[in-house]
Amino acid sequence: MAAFLSQEWFAKVDELTAAAGDLNIPSSVAGLVLNVTVNGAPEGSVDLALNGGKFERGHNAGAATKLTLPADLLRKIFLEGDAAAGMQGFMTGQIKVEGDMSKLMTLQSARPSDAQKALFKQILALTA
């Protein structure tokens, strides 16, 4: 197991993502790039990007939208698939959005493919 959002975690996520092959990412998400700053991770504040439905280390210069949220909320939304936690986090101010809000709305309405769900389960299983 690897600490969530640690360098070791990102390396293992990269390996799992590569091994998963084609994730059949919905077209609405395939071209979507969001930057995310995560607070409260084991190694402090972490910058990442959600690029075409996949996690990347660091921010992506092509992103039109940036989210800032706590690590536990990121885990609930993206790894555990808890959409209600995302809505609650937004409504209570735990999620801060800068830039193009419509990009976030695209993500909210998209449903992950079965291949993505399987990858997220593998990532959750390795996450401490």
Side-chain angles (χ1 to χ4, degrees), residues 4-5 36-46 48 68-80 94 127-128:
F4 187 43
L5 301 173
V36 182
T37 297
V38 185
N39 299 315
E43 295 181 2
S45 184
V46 175
L48 62 95
T68 303
L69 70 161
D72 61 333
L73 190 54
L74 178 77
R75 180 182 175 131
K76 285 178 189 174
I77 296 168
F78 288 103
L79 297 184
E80 298 173 14
Q94 289 182 289
T127 303

Side-chain angles (χ1 to χ4, degrees), residues 78-118:
F78 288 103
L79 297 184
E80 298 173 14
D82 187 347
M87 185 57 72
Q88 183 177 11
F90 182 75
M91 298 303 279
T92 60
Q94 289 182 289
I95 298 175
K96 298 192 181 359
V97 181
E98 297 174 35
D100 188 348
M101 179 75 93
S102 68
K103 302 294 184 187
L104 184 59
M105 302 313 280
T106 299
L107 184 62
Q108 180 187 7
S109 63
R111 298 292 170 245
S113 67
D114 289 340
Q116 276 183 294
K117 289 178 188 176

Side-chain angles (χ1 to χ4, degrees), residues 31-60:
L32 183 65
V33 181
L34 297 172
N35 283 336
V36 182
T37 297
V38 185
N39 299 315
E43 295 181 2
S45 184
V46 175
D47 291 335
L48 62 95
L50 185 65
N51 186 356
K54 300 175 185 175
F55 287 110
E56 294 178 345
R57 285 178 255 206
H59 282 168
N60 185 305

Side-chain angles (χ1 to χ4, degrees), residues 1-3 5-13 43 57 126:
M1 295 192 65
L5 301 173
S6 67
Q7 294 301 317
E8 178 186 9
W9 183 85
F10 275 109
K12 289 184 180 194
V13 168
E43 295 181 2
R57 285 178 255 206
L126 76 81

